[in-house]
Amino acid sequence: MSPITVRFDPPSHGWLTLYVGVGERTFCIDAADMPNNPVQALVDALDLAASHKASSVWWNLEPGGYWMEFVPQGERVEFRLSYAKQADATKATTQATLLGSRDEVILPFWRFLQAFQTARFAEPDWPDVYFERMACIGEWLERTAKH
């Protein structure tokens, strides 16, 4: 089993509940689609990680927030999940970290995005997400998979 798991409830009126498991802990993230679309930000973050660039995603909880960071380190990726009671990343405290292979860190989020894309959520429940880069991220994961 992957050290990271990602599940979600269908979004409703701009709110999405995401369950992120890191090791033995599970975090319930009830995120709003305003002022940013965190699902779109996740697509963009994974695309950056595939280019070996650090990236982050802000999940706005109104007023708090979670931040997911993906930091490529050679053949591995560090995942950090931080939380702040107010939407201020400078006051966020780290809740979980994991240094793992791309399959261990990126693949669970890519699969979440695939499931989200397949469900075709629309306004008023969730804004559009541009999934064009998903195929490129999937190809990158295939090329770098352990054999």
Side-chain angles (χ1 to χ4, degrees):
M1 181 173 177
S2 176
I4 295 178
T5 59
V6 183
R7 299 181 293 110
F8 69 99
D9 293 336
S12 178
H13 299 286
W15 288 92
L16 171 67
T17 302
L18 191 68
Y19 305 92
V20 178
V22 182
E24 299 295 318
R25 296 186 66 190
T26 299
F27 301 88
C28 179
I29 301 173
D30 289 315
D33 65 358
M34 296 297 285
N36 69 315
N37 179 342
V39 176
Q40 181 66 61
L42 183 59
V43 172
D44 299 341
L46 296 187
D47 191 30
L48 285 169
S51 300
H52 303 284
K53 295 176 185 167
S55 58
S56 66
V57 179
W58 170 41
W59 298 83
N60 183 20
L61 309 183
E62 294 184 3
Y66 276 97
W67 286 264
M68 292 178 180
E69 295 175 75
F70 301 90
V71 183
Q73 297 184 7
E75 295 299 311
R76 303 180 72 141
V77 178
E78 181 181 10
F79 172 73
R80 275 192 303 262
L81 183 65
S82 302
Y83 171 78
K85 289 183 181 180
Q86 299 296 320
D88 182 353
T90 64
K91 296 182 180 171
T93 59
T94 300
Q95 303 296 304
T97 61
L98 179 93
L99 179 62
S101 70
R102 293 176 184 121
D103 282 353
E104 291 171 327
V105 176
I106 302 296
L107 188 58
F109 292 100
W110 185 79
R111 287 181 175 153
F112 153 70
L113 290 170
Q114 274 193 312
F116 200 90
Q117 179 183 18
T118 300
R120 298 179 185 254
F121 299 114
E123 296 279 4
D125 293 317
W126 201 259
D128 289 339
V129 177
Y130 301 99
F131 290 104
E132 290 82 8
R133 298 297 301 164
M134 286 291 292
C136 295
I137 299 164
E139 290 169 7
W140 171 72
L141 286 166
E142 279 184 19
R143 282 194 314 272
T144 60
K146 292 181 192 176
H147 295 284

